Amino acid sequence: MTAHGTDRPLPLSVDRTSPVPLYFQLAQQLEAAVEQGRLAPGALLGNEIDLAARLGLSRPTVRQAIQTLVDKGLMVRRRGVGTQVVHSQVRRPLELSSLYDDLEAAGQRPATEVLRNTTEPATAEVAAALGVAEGSEVHLVERLRSAHGEPVALLRNHLPPGLVVPLRTEELVATGLYRLMRAGGITLHSARQSVGARAATAGEADVLDEEPGAPLLTMERVTYDDTGRVVEFGSHVYRAARYAFEFQLLVRP
């Protein structure tokens, strides 16, 4: 099995003294290779028989390992082609950071299409989140964020009036919203966030290259600066097959 279409084999191994099943050990290593870019999108996996012989595993064990990644949406089996890497899933920690920065840090090559960059009257929901009067003019930025050329998320952000941050479309294409806010002198301090899930609407499915009704992760976030002022209300949807939130849980003493 090679990386990036070269003849350099991936450093794979299994520990037979470990209680972790052999197929799962192999699946974890292959998943790490995908996430780290050593197995790039479009790369073909080598022959299962050769891999089984190389690691001293049975073909069913190797097949089960690969099927685990197929089930996660990281790989796909194509008749007449073989098993091919599709993409890595974006795992995002629950912290006050932008999707653009998280994708870039993970080597995911983020790209942005700005769908709307305008002002509009605040709905009741937006007004309540931003602490402004319903119907007052607020700034709306709507973007499609992609990684490795595949849609990942549809991002809608409302900003309150009077927030002196130039949001030029060409800059929103080139970088993340939080970077522009920081460059405009805003110190992000904290946020209140909720995470959920629902089915994709027809419009969302069309933009995200999904089927209507496909599962989407949702995230709503109200962000505050260091003076306690609300500076942003984000309402985002993410493709569940391409995205996951990570939580760190601590035992309360």
Side-chain angles (χ1 to χ4, degrees), residues 178-217:
Y178 280 6
R179 289 188 186 181
L180 294 177
M181 295 175 74
R182 291 187 181 101
I186 294 174
T187 301
L188 303 176
H189 178 266
S190 60
R192 187 178 71 250
Q193 179 168 288
S194 61
V195 177
R198 61 172 173 80
T201 66
E204 291 166 342
D206 183 58
V207 172
L208 292 170
D209 195 23
E210 286 281 4
E211 294 294 327
L216 298 179
L217 295 174

Side-chain angles (χ1 to χ4, degrees), residues 1-2 39 44-51 62 66 83:
M1 184 169 295
T2 59
L39 278 174
L44 290 171
L45 299 190
N47 188 288
E48 290 181 5
I49 298 176
D50 294 339
L51 181 59
V62 172
I66 293 174
T83 303

Side-chain angles (χ1 to χ4, degrees), residues 10-80:
L10 289 172
L12 301 173
S13 63
V14 293
D15 180 4
R16 287 176 169 76
T17 65
S18 171
V20 178
L22 297 177
Y23 86 90
F24 192 71
Q25 292 184 44
L26 178 56
Q28 284 184 312
Q29 293 174 69
L30 291 174
E31 183 172 356
V34 172
E35 292 180 346
Q36 295 165 10
R38 290 180 287 132
L39 278 174
L44 290 171
L45 299 190
N47 188 288
E48 290 181 5
I49 298 176
D50 294 339
L51 181 59
R54 173 183 156 196
L55 297 175
L57 299 173
S58 66
R59 284 189 65 188
T61 297
V62 172
R63 189 176 301 114
Q64 187 176 8
I66 293 174
Q67 187 61 45
T68 298
L69 303 188
V70 171
D71 293 341
K72 286 187 174 184
L74 302 182
M75 298 181 182
V76 64
R77 298 183 188 273
R78 302 188 188 280
R79 186 179 300 274

Side-chain angles (χ1 to χ4, degrees), residues 39-246:
L39 278 174
L44 290 171
L45 299 190
N47 188 288
E48 290 181 5
I49 298 176
D50 294 339
L51 181 59
R54 173 183 156 196
L55 297 175
L57 299 173
S58 66
R59 284 189 65 188
T61 297
V62 172
R63 189 176 301 114
Q64 187 176 8
I66 293 174
Q67 187 61 45
T68 298
L69 303 188
V70 171
D71 293 341
K72 286 187 174 184
L74 302 182
M75 298 181 182
V76 64
R77 298 183 188 273
R78 302 188 188 280
R79 186 179 300 274
V81 176
T83 303
Q84 190 172 28
V85 176
V86 181
H87 46 58
S88 60
Q89 188 181 52
V90 180
R91 287 189 171 87
R92 187 178 184 186
L94 279 179
E95 58 186 36
L96 188 50
S97 61
S98 73
L99 177 58
Y100 188 95
D101 290 342
D102 291 337
L103 289 171
E104 192 172 65
Q108 294 277 345
R109 298 198 301 274
T112 304
E113 179 184 351
V114 178
L115 305 178
R116 286 191 287 175
N117 181 20
T118 185
T119 58
E120 68 175 15
T123 63
E125 179 187 25
V126 171
L130 295 179
V132 301
E134 184 177 352
S136 60
E137 290 292 306
V138 295
H139 200 111
L140 167 66
V141 175
E142 185 175 36
R143 296 156 294 160
L144 176 65
R145 182 63 46 75
S146 301
H148 291 301
E150 282 198 59
V152 174
L154 180 61
L155 314 174
R156 296 184 184 93
N157 296 82
H158 286 89
L159 287 75
L163 198 66
V164 186
V165 180
L167 296 176
R168 301 181 182 90
T169 297
E170 60 271 19
E171 292 179 333
L172 289 166
V173 170
T175 190
L177 177 61
Y178 280 6
R179 289 188 186 181
L180 294 177
M181 295 175 74
R182 291 187 181 101
I186 294 174
T187 301
L188 303 176
H189 178 266
S190 60
R192 187 178 71 250
Q193 179 168 288
S194 61
V195 177
R198 61 172 173 80
T201 66
E204 291 166 342
D206 183 58
V207 172
L208 292 170
D209 195 23
E210 286 281 4
E211 294 294 327
L216 298 179
L217 295 174
T218 67
M219 186 271 282
E220 289 191 350
R221 175 187 286 180
V222 177
T223 306
Y224 304 86
D225 69 5
D226 57 348
T227 69
R229 173 183 57 164
V230 176
V231 293
E232 175 241 357
F233 170 54
S235 180
H236 304 167
V237 292
Y238 305 84
R239 296 175 65 191
R242 293 285 286 109
Y243 196 87
F245 290 104
E246 284 191 343

